[in-house]
Structure formats: C-alpha cells, structure tokens
Amino acid sequence: MSDGNDTHLLIVDDDERIRGLLQKFLIRHGFWVSAARDAAHARRLLDGLEFDMIVMDVMMPGEDGISLTRDLRGRIATPILLLTAKGETEDRIAGLEAGADDYLAKPFEPKELLLRINAILRRVPQVAADLAPKMLQLGPVRYDVERGELWSGEELVRLTATESQLMKIFAGSVGEPVSRGDLVEQLGRAEGQAQERAVDVQITRLRKKIESDPKQPRFLQTVRGAGYMLAPE
C-alpha cells in the first residue's frame, strides 16, 4: 500500500461508471482521489490543486489523453499512468513518447492498477536529508545523486518519475552496462519485449535532457549486446 491518506490521485476518464468504480476502489485503499470527466475538466483541477499522480484514459472526446500528457509534461513532472485500449500498441508508444510513466491496457483488474500506481509512486525520488551531495558531471548538465536532481547551470531539469528512477539505477552502476531486462525488473514492470521497447522510449526521452546530441550519446551510452551505461566525465 502507499503512504496513505496524503497521496492525492487524479482520475481522468469520460466513462462515469469507470470513474466512479476507480474512485471508490482507490479511496478504499487509502488514497485521496479527485476525478475529471475530460481534459478541460482535468486542466481546471490541475490549475487549483497539486496531485501526486494522474491516471488518465487515452480515448476521450475532445482532447485525448496523449495530447494532454504532452502538454502537461512541458509544465509539471507529476507521474502519469495512461489507460489504453487493449491491443493499441501505437497508443502505448505514443503515450510514453509524450512523457507518460507507464500504461495499463483495458480491461484490467483493479488490483493490477493498484500495483502499477504504487510501483510508480515508489519511483518518485525522495529528497535525502543531511547527506553530502554527490554530483555526476554529464557535459553541460550535472546529476545530484542524493537528491535525484538533474541540473543544467542554475536550472533544474524536470524529470518524470520513470526518468528519475532510471537515473537512480544508472547512478548506482556508473561505468557498468545495465541490461534492458534488468531495467524492466528494477522499474517494477512485467517482463516482456513490449516492456523492453517501452524502456527504449524512456531512454530516448532521457537522452534529450542529458545529451548535446541525443543521436550520438556520450554519457548515456548503448553497449551493444549488454544494454545501457551511464559514463559521466
């Protein structure tokens, strides 16, 4: 279970029945839950409240979940879990590219949603107090290992929960390749090729925040046959 009643979730789904069921189920498991019927309603709630996580359906009338994810990601780092139609692989990849942390195919068991929510919330870096900062220099950016923060000059680079967790994993294995399978496992996801491809998408997004030329990565390298490796200066 999560840390309890102070964790505030936003459910965005145009299906009133599903919205109500999810809200009741998650409240019963100790979350504080708000619900929105569409993207415009979600924006109004997000303007006035802070959420620990957003659970959002992709298929909605008006603005869809992927478009809203892309827009929100430009402004906030709140973790986003997308609900996609079963078999819609394009939606899943598009959602991850837009900045979602994970996806869950409908129909799903509420218990699986709960597991995914808790796995994503565990990825959000907790600021460690009273620890000497340890910095990894990655060209123009630097990574504060203890705080889980990426900085470019005086600017804090916003990371999604998944990107934060990936940086934490790589920072713990500097100079050593981490296989895609290991990354999937450490991110708390089910095994499989689809999840490995999802990790590749997250790596591509992360490189855009680290590398001067993401197509020729210097710091977050691909090691042929072995996975990915963080190689700071």
Side-chain angles (χ1 to χ4, degrees), residues 143-169:
Y143 179 66
D144 183 329
V145 178
E146 306 298 355
R147 290 181 173 269
E149 293 173 346
L150 191 66
W151 290 85
S152 176
E154 297 305 305
E155 292 281 312
L156 182 63
V157 180
R158 198 178 279 124
L159 295 173
T160 69
T162 305
E163 289 164 354
S164 292
Q165 182 68 359
L166 284 170
M167 283 302 299
K168 203 186 291 184
I169 294 166

Side-chain angles (χ1 to χ4, degrees), residues 138-141 150 167 205-212 219-220 230:
L138 308 162
V141 301
L150 191 66
M167 283 302 299
R205 283 184 52 82
L206 186 53
R207 278 178 172 156
K208 288 177 182 167
K209 298 181 180 182
I210 293 174
E211 306 285 353
S212 303
F219 305 109
L220 185 43
L230 191 67

